[in-house]
Amino acid sequence: MASIQLKQVRKTYGKGAKAVDVIHGIDADIADGEFIVMVGPSGCGKSTLLRMVAGLEEISGGEVVIGERVVNELEPKERDIAMVFQNYALYPHMTVYENMAYGLKIQGLPKAEIEARVQRAAGILELQALLDRTPRQLSGGQRQRVAMGRAIVRKPAVFLFDEPLSNLDAKLRVQMRLEIQKLHASLRTTSLYVTHDQVEAMTLGQRMIVMNKGVAEQIGTPAEVYARP
Ligand code: ADP
Ligand code: ADP
């Protein structure tokens, strides 16, 4: 596990006359083991910020520090991060087991260790009975659980979630929120979760970063955020 520090993080897309500032110097301290939700309307810069934390997007100014390390200076391989996306990004021709095991195989972990990690994740996410299915044979909620399983097995210091529930229907979203809470209660992995859904943000976030037009307007617990006018 690790803390995440954002220090005057900035992002400008384009150059010269076409340059557009989309993130205007964001500061935030996310504690080790905390679950923090970044919430705000479409286009306010949530995804861009998350991608910068993940090291998938160049940082135009400032620093992202994870644990002791400045993310901007790390190779993608060195980043101890797992990301969960809304489109799941599962391999369609692999089974659930293989989808979860794949990244660990690439890392060269021993077979027994891979099997232990996949079985443990499958237990936490109640996927044991589905390990031999392919993604096509799963419901949307089950696919999203596999996507989370694939993140869990890597035992990363940090989880990043980019609107993971926005493709699910309302009933399933509520159910998956509970699962994500359960997951965090058992693993306590530092998590940064992006959504445009205020209810989701309030339910899941121990604290919230309220974004608007590239600025963090408020940072606090849901009670603190909604106590203000
Ligand atoms: P959100 O995730 O909150 O919807 P984004 O981070 O996707 O917001 O986008 C923030 C702003 O940056 C938007 O105005 C968007 O149009 C712009 N933007 C995002 N990606 C790019 C890009 N690759 N090139 C130029 N502008 C971009
Ligand atoms: P290969 O590396 O030969 O392609 P797989 O990736 O299919 O083989 O499986 C690798 C290992 O994972 C094997 O030891 C296999 O027994 C185990 N395995 C595959 N599916 C399951 C499952 N549903 N439950 C438990 N172990 C599995």
Side-chain angles (χ1 to χ4, degrees):
M1 297 207 302
S3 62
I4 306 171
Q5 287 172 285
L6 310 182
K7 299 180 180 177
Q8 279 298 303
V9 174
R10 294 177 177 279
K11 180 67 185 181
T12 306
Y13 283 115
K15 286 199 162 52
K18 290 200 176 139
V20 183
D21 295 329
V22 296
I23 303 286
H24 304 279
I26 289 192
D27 289 302
D29 278 324
I30 301 161
D32 203 2
E34 186 173 19
F35 197 109
I36 196 158
V37 177
M38 191 158 41
V39 63
S42 179
C44 72
K46 305 181 296 295
S47 227
T48 298
L49 193 56
L50 197 71
R51 291 168 56 78
M52 289 195 287
V53 174
L56 297 172
E57 190 81 69
E58 200 182 317
I59 295 172
S60 307
E63 266 182 2
V64 176
V65 183
I66 296 184
E68 307 283 295
R69 311 191 69 182
V70 180
V71 172
N72 346 8
E73 293 167 0
L74 295 180
E75 297 295 318
K77 237 169 72 169
E78 295 180 292
R79 296 178 186 131
D80 194 5
I81 285 168
M83 205 159 168
V84 181
F85 301 93
Q86 65 175 273
N87 61 3
Y88 326 125
L90 300 178
Y91 302 110
H93 58 288
M94 292 186 192
T95 65
V96 167
Y97 183 96
E98 289 162 348
N99 263 284
M100 291 201 278
Y102 185 69
L104 305 180
K105 256 188 181 172
I106 300 289
Q107 280 179 38
L109 290 192
K111 225 164 184 178
E113 171 71 14
I114 294 176
E115 182 143 355
R117 288 199 195 185
V118 171
Q119 292 295 350
R120 177 162 175 270
I124 293 170
L125 293 162
E126 294 178 22
L127 289 169
Q128 293 106 323
L130 306 176
L131 288 174
D132 294 326
R133 294 203 195 171
T134 57
R136 213 154 43 87
Q137 300 168 305
L138 301 175
S139 69
Q142 290 168 338
R143 285 179 197 164
Q144 192 49 272
R145 298 220 301 275
V146 177
M148 286 186 215
R150 210 168 42 177
I152 292 174
V153 294
R154 292 178 44 203
K155 299 189 175 177
V158 168
F159 285 136
L160 303 176
F161 297 90
D162 194 358
E163 305 248 6
L165 307 186
S166 54
N167 279 347
L168 304 177
D169 66 43
K171 193 172 154 212
L172 205 49
R173 274 206 302 274
V174 172
Q175 189 187 325
M176 290 302 295
R177 270 186 224 146
L178 292 172
E179 297 213 12
I180 290 171
Q181 283 175 320
K182 215 175 76 182
L183 192 69
H184 185 253
S186 75
L187 299 177
R188 296 275 161 209
T189 304
T190 311
S191 300
L192 177 55
Y193 186 105
V194 160
T195 181
H196 64 270
D197 182 330
Q198 300 241 0
V199 176
E200 198 167 297
M202 263 173 28
T203 325
L204 281 174
Q206 294 173 330
R207 286 195 303 152
M208 303 162 66
I209 301 175
V210 181
M211 294 271 294
N212 193 18
K213 294 179 183 156
V215 174
E217 286 195 324
Q218 296 181 53
I219 302 181
T221 64
E224 285 165 353
V225 166
Y226 287 101
R228 285 173 223 175

